[in-house]
Amino acid sequence: MLFHVQMTVNLPHDLDPARAERLKAEERARALDLQRAGTWRHLWRVAGAYANVSIFDVEGPEELHAILSGLPLFPFMDVRVQALCTHPSSLEAAGDR
Amino acid sequence: MLFHVQMTVNLPHDLDPARAERLKAEERARALDLQRAGTWRHLWRVAGAYANVSIFDVEGPEELHAILSGLPLFPFMDVRVQALCTHPSSLEAAGDR
Amino acid sequence: MLFHVQMTVNLPHDLDPARAERLKAEERARALDLQRAGTWRHLWRVAGAYANVSIFDVEGPEELHAILSGLPLFPFMDVRVQALCTHPSSLEAAGDR
Amino acid sequence: MLFHVQMTVNLPHDLDPARAERLKAEERARALDLQRAGTWRHLWRVAGAYANVSIFDVEGPEELHAILSGLPLFPFMDVRVQALCTHPSSLEAAGDR
Amino acid sequence: MLFHVQMTVNLPHDLDPARAERLKAEERARALDLQRAGTWRHLWRVAGAYANVSIFDVEGPEELHAILSGLPLFPFMDVRVQALCTHPSSLEAAGDR
Amino acid sequence: MLFHVQMTVNLPHDLDPARAERLKAEERARALDLQRAGTWRHLWRVAGAYANVSIFDVEGPEELHAILSGLPLFPFMDVRVQALCTHPSSLEAAGDR
Amino acid sequence: MLFHVQMTVNLPHDLDPARAERLKAEERARALDLQRAGTWRHLWRVAGAYANVSIFDVEGPEELHAILSGLPLFPFMDVRVQALCTHPSSLEAAGDR
Amino acid sequence: MLFHVQMTVNLPHDLDPARAERLKAEERARALDLQRAGTWRHLWRVAGAYANVSIFDVEGPEELHAILSGLPLFPFMDVRVQALCTHPSSLEAAGDR
Amino acid sequence: MLFHVQMTVNLPHDLDPARAERLKAEERARALDLQRAGTWRHLWRVAGAYANVSIFDVEGPEELHAILSGLPLFPFMDVRVQALCTHPSSLEAAGDR
Amino acid sequence: MLFHVQMTVNLPHDLDPARAERLKAEERARALDLQRAGTWRHLWRVAGAYANVSIFDVEGPEELHAILSGLPLFPFMDVRVQALCTHPSSLEAAGDR
């Protein structure tokens, strides 16, 4: 089941720099693990923003929320979620894929 | 070069139904062609909306605009474009892919 | 799997009244069927608005979209979808229910 | 009398962690009490957000405000309230329930 | 039980003028009746707008919705509802009134 | 001359609690005085919010601004002002009151 | 008593051109009259928009509303009103004027 | 004197196609003339939108408004204007150009 | 050349009070100077807000920006600028003034 | 490949002044370098705002993001990006340039 997620990160300017670096490193490690597991199916940077567009493949909203709320940078994120489904004009729907 | 596009379709209620059907059929054919060509890399329906989330792989803004403005339903669409780039926490950036 | 949906209906003032009545009657019949089937778990009117707040219990986004886009009044609706999950402070999470 | 409430929590990053934990524990205890009393009829987590969707069954706006403004996390919440009523297409209105 | 309602009227420019006049006259008669009954407690015009600010005194959301959705101009209104309660700094709360 | 004012209070979480209490007490005393003087004609709490809806009866914008900007909590308020006038469908306009 | 008004005109594209011209001519005549009377104290065009910024000097909201709602183009206007008062840093307040 | 203008065109779907074509051709001719005259200094298409970003070099707001309001498609445009000035970090300010 | 400017001041609650007072006094002195010079043509307080509406008469955007960005409270202001021109329905355009 | 970027800077009032000055000086040096290299093709100040409008000529979104996210003031900026392409009514499209 696919979900489209746009995350925008707002780090407070007075956040301790060492803590910020640790959070970013943990975030990166977590993102790589979830991508390798196939759960975090796509991850792109939005040009010009501290933001990403992501596609998650999960069992449902419970798993999605567990993943997102467990991200080290989650407390500093604005997160937008959209549930996705097969598009009638997609190759999948046309039986091509 | 990747672009993230969210298209929302607003068909006027007094649009001639035959014209609407023809436009939708042409839109579908065009979408399938562009997907087969690898240009329209992903196409998902947003659950609960007459809208899609798409990823285009194009030469640049010129080609992107030519494609989008040439879609049969373009005059009825609200279109949001975001330029994408490699995310530093992606498998690509990590050399895994 | 639960989804929270807020639907707001905007009927054009020049819609044929007979067609409007037929659409509303079909919408009502469909809503009753889906409630009896347990899919449309809750349906409330928002006071002062031609709008409802609904909870759907579905297999996933595909089923949700099929239901919503199949509603007779869908072309006239503004629809907002939020995926729901168990709240850690709910009775369910506490094992009370 | 039913009210639909969406609460979004924004904890300042420099809030004392011990105070935050205490507030969350008190919030959870209060939520469980109110659910057991039947006042807080439904409580769902919105996937991907530090937010909930809730249905309250109260005597009126006075009781609703007393409950909401008394929540330990209220000073950190963005709260949206909608008064609900029976939907004409609901099973209740149809006499099925 | 008090509700604060702001109504903004948007009459389509191609609405039949006779129908518009009839709707306005019916709206006025209905408003006067409800004010005489004590239900529509206050009714003010917002300067510079085809809009009003109103206070309703009703049994609850059901009655409020029945009144608002029954107004002749309701299909052309944007309606905002806020539930009110006693303010702790009011004369009522201080026991002065 | 009537003005409709909606005030929403946002107290910073790191405001000294003693100062906050003093400001609230002063605000309450000032509100009671102005109500007794007939200037602050109505004062209601918006259910679920640290906000009020108020009606002021003043000589004009000068007096309104002097009152609002002199409120102890003014620096922490978001204030919306609407000038009111007699509604043509009100009892006043109909000569009933 | 001064009010700041920003008016933006939206003429429907299918409005009868003769009626549009008549409305504009009447609007202009009315604006000139009110300026000569000293009521419409300032009238500026916003560059790049079918909009104006105006300052009215009136007895109060009643007169302001009578003027604005009586403008021939009022049904096609988006109108924003702000009540003005003397600024403490103005020459008037400093006793220079 | 430079002004930054973003124009978004919204042609009604029921506009006569011949009239639409004529307006577009006239718009194009006018845009070319103004570019050749050096007044319309830059003109870019926004990818994915029926919109442009433009830089105008004019005597002042009067000339800017005369140009914009005289464009054949002006009645169908949403226009945003920003006045520009030399940036302190530009080559011009640094004396390089 | 006229520009319409709306300035809204947001002083952080933890700004040193002595610095705040000094900034306000400097702002007032600067505003009086510019009014006496005829550059700051009008200055009004918006009732109920720490905001003003102003009309500046300047050589162009360069001078306007120099003035605005040089105001002592500029770092704490939200500033909206609109370029103005003669309105075709004004007394000036009609040759009356 | 051209991108239109609008950057608005929000420096926190409690940022160390020496650090702010250093960041601004570094930002200026970086902007001058990129302009001399032809990458930052245009840079204008928006009158009345701590903001600029810029045109970048880059290889694609990757280079654009590297440049923007590397700007010393990037953590304090709100950045809006629009991909540009040749306008059909431009001199370039007409073969004049």
Side-chain angles (χ1 to χ4, degrees), chain H residues 17-97:
Chain H
R19 188 180 161 212
E21 285 319 303
R22 198 175 53 245
L23 287 170
K24 287 182 197 175
E26 290 169 1
E27 179 89 13
R28 185 166 182 272
R30 187 92 183 95
L32 286 170
D33 282 354
L34 287 161
Q35 287 173 86
R36 287 186 187 114
T39 308
W40 197 325
R41 200 110 51 109
H42 297 285
L43 170 57
W44 295 286
R45 168 67 78 218
V46 179
Y50 192 177
N52 71 65
V53 164
S54 294
I55 306 291
F56 285 88
D57 187 354
V58 292
E59 289 300 304
E62 301 283 349
E63 186 186 358
L64 179 70
H65 186 72
I67 289 171
L68 293 174
S69 64
L71 291 176
L73 292 173
F74 181 73
F76 307 106
M77 281 179 185
D78 172 57
V79 178
R80 306 286 157 117
V81 174
Q82 290 180 302
L84 298 179
C85 46
T86 307
H87 195 285
S89 301
S90 66
L91 295 181
E92 287 83 350
D96 274 35
R97 219 180 252 176

Side-chain angles (χ1 to χ4, degrees), chain H residues 4 35-36 47 83 85 89 96, chain J residues 4 35-36 45 47 83 89 96:
Chain H
H4 176 276
Q35 287 173 86
R36 287 186 187 114
C85 46
S89 301
D96 274 35
Chain J
H4 177 276
Q35 287 173 86
R36 287 186 187 114
R45 168 66 79 217
S89 300
D96 275 35

Side-chain angles (χ1 to χ4, degrees), chain B residues 1 3 5 13 20 25 31 34 38-39 43 51 53 58 63 65 73 76 78 80-81 84 86 88 92 97:
Chain B
M1 189 173 304
F3 286 89
V5 181
H13 81 100
L34 286 161
T39 308
L43 170 58
V53 165
V58 292
E63 186 186 358
H65 186 72
L73 291 173
F76 307 106
D78 172 56
R80 305 285 156 118
V81 173
L84 297 180
T86 307
E92 287 83 349
R97 220 180 252 174

